[in-house]
């Protein structure tokens, strides 16, 4: 159960709550506390807003970190007017960039912030405001990705329990441990008999009329989306078990497995496909997690669904219904090419490989994902890619950390822009000769020349492996111009 506790599944925004203290602790942002660290460290930063207006309050919603270089703060009056406007808007704090207009933060501004108890941080010369926005945006993306990942893992685990005929109480206990609190299946009659409804309880309806799944607990409740996914699994568990249907799915799974492995001719599936009404001149195989068969039968009533010990295979008429079902069930799935019956084995093989990618990316994957460099790398064991990181990227990281250089970010930008020197220089706000110099240093440190295609491919693989071993949020951004 501890596996599910590495990310929070309570509430829709909890993971994205970045505080001003969090931002000040990010080395790449280079922020320095000036005033009210004790007050501001725990304040949540909803977004970063850059402004040079004396009164930007009409453009603020509250909770922002306001960033400015103080081009309009020329005297005591303007400083006090500016801070008063920020305080009235309910901002989290003020970030003042020195070096562009003011060599130091104006004393009047510091005094005004002290009086208003407005947290104040300094961004020194060369520390870009846009890096703060990028960090906050990355946190939001990471929060959504983590929430999707936790939801998929929880639902997959519950489905595995359903497959082993685990009792309903076990499913509710697993979910309660993952999200915190207690889950129960309640009826309208039982709820009506209670003297009052509990404050903070969350309910989602179940398929059986008059029943619902109820969460009770302390703190933030789970997201409604998560509870709806759990409710679908509970519906399957509560339904009467059709032993014959289960055995039929297992027999179909065995046959689909043999066809996908090339050990049986696809024509053996014809009676099963006919029974489901699947047109055999054009069909698509999709692969799903183990235990998903019961849910797929409900959402894909015209599909041939086969259950195996380690995964589920469905054969449908098209891809659209597969994608719709994956979104509704919050389950990873891989799908193969559209084929005829005689080539169904190829579609099954592709679907299985695509499922591996989908489980890592937490989004449905199709055959096109298998033909990309990223798709190829996703299928490689991590230990196979580790030497690329150790031998190529690690020397660059150590140099950047020790000397405050930008080799990793320069390489990333250069590769993303297909090796165009001028475009790289423009994006990094440096001279093209600076890019050439950094690439020469990269060649010296790694033994790989970014200007040579074969070496460039090795650098791409190494950088991909490095980025995918990073924690959510990735490596610090390189320094650049303030914008």
């Amino acid at each position: 159960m501890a596996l599910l506790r590495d990310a929070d599944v309570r509430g829709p925004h909890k993971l994205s709550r970045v505080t001003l203290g969090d931002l000040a602790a990010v080395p790449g942002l280079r922020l320095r506390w000036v005033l009210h660290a004790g007050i501001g460290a725990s304040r949540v930063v909803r977004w970063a807003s850059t402004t040079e207006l004396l009164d930007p309050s009409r453009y603020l919603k509250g909770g922002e970190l306001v960033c400015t270089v103080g081009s309009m703060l020329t005297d005591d009056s303007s400083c006090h007017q500016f801070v008063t406007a920020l305080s009235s808007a309910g901002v989290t704090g003020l970030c003042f960039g020195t070096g562009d207009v003011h060599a130091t933060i104006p004393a009047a501004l510091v005094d005004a912030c002290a009086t208003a108890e407005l947290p104040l941080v300094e961004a020194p010369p060369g520390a870009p405001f846009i890096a703060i926005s990028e960090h906050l945006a990355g946190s939001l993306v990471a929060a959504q990705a983590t929430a999707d990942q936790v939801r998929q893992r929880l639902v997959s685990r519950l489905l595995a329990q359903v497959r082993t005929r685990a009792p309903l109480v076990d499913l509710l206990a697993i979910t309660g441990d993952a999200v915190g609190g207690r889950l129960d299946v309640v009826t309208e009659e039982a709820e009506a008999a209670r003297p009052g409804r509990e404050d903070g309880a969350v309910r989602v309806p179940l398929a059986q009329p008059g029943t619902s799944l109820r969460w009770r607990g302390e703190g933030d409740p789970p997201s409604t989306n998560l509870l709806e996914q759990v409710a679908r699994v509970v519906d399957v568990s509560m339904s009467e078990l059709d032993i014959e249907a289960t055995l039929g799915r297992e027999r179909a799974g065995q046959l689909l497995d043999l066809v996908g492995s090339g050990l049986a001719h696809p024509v053996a599936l014809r009676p099963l496909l006919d029974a489901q009404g699947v047109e055999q001149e054009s069909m698509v195989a999709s692969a799903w997690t183990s235990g998903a068969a019961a849910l797929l039968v409900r959402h894909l009533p015209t599909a041939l669904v086969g259950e195996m010990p380690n995964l589920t295979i469905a054969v449908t008429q098209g891809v659209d219904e597969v994608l719709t079902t994956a979104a509704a069930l919050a389950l990873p799935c891989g799908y193969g090419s559209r084929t005829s019956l005689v080539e169904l084995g190829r579609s099954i093989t592709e679907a299985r490989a695509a499922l591996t990618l989908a489980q890592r990316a937490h989004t449905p994957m199709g055959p096109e994902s298998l033909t990309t460099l990223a798709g190829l790398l996703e299928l490689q064991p991590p230990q196979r890619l580790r030497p690329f990181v150790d031998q190529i990227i690690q020397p660059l990281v150590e140099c950047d950390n020790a000397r405050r250089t930008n080799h990793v970010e320069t390489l990333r930008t250069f590769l993303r822009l297909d090796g165009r020197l001028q475009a790289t220089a423009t994006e990094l706000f440096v001279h093209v000769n600076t890019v050439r110099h950094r690439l020469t240093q990269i060649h010296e440190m790694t033994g790989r020349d970014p200007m040579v295609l074969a070496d460039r491919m090795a650098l791409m693989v190494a950088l991909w492996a490095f980025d995918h071993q990073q924690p959510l949020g990735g490596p610090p951004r390189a320094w650049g111009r303030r914008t």
Side-chain angles (χ1 to χ4, degrees), residues 24 39 49 83 93 103 113 157 167 190 205 210 224 237 252 264 285 295 297 324 358 366 404 411 416 424 444 472 478:
I39 299 175
S49 177
V83 172
C113 289
R157 184 180 181 189
T224 302
S237 178
L295 281 175
V297 168
T324 300
R404 294 190 172 183
L411 177 62
R416 178 169 54 81
T424 302
E444 294 172 351
L472 290 174

Side-chain angles (χ1 to χ4, degrees), residues 304-360:
L304 172 61
V305 178
E307 195 164 12
M308 306 174 196
N310 58 344
L311 80 161
T312 302
I313 296 290
V315 180
T316 58
Q317 209 68 74
V319 175
D320 290 345
E321 52 194 315
V322 171
L323 297 178
T324 300
T325 300
L329 299 180
L331 285 176
C333 81
Y335 57 92
S337 302
R338 184 185 295 273
T339 65
S340 62
L341 176 59
V342 294
E343 295 184 344
L344 184 59
R346 176 168 65 91
S347 187
I348 294 174
T349 300
E350 293 174 348
R352 280 174 156 166
L355 176 61
T356 302
L357 299 179
Q359 289 173 322
R360 297 180 184 180

Side-chain angles (χ1 to χ4, degrees), residues 289-307:
T289 56
S290 174
L295 281 175
L296 293 178
V297 168
R298 294 185 175 204
H299 285 77
L300 297 170
T302 61
L304 172 61
V305 178
E307 195 164 12

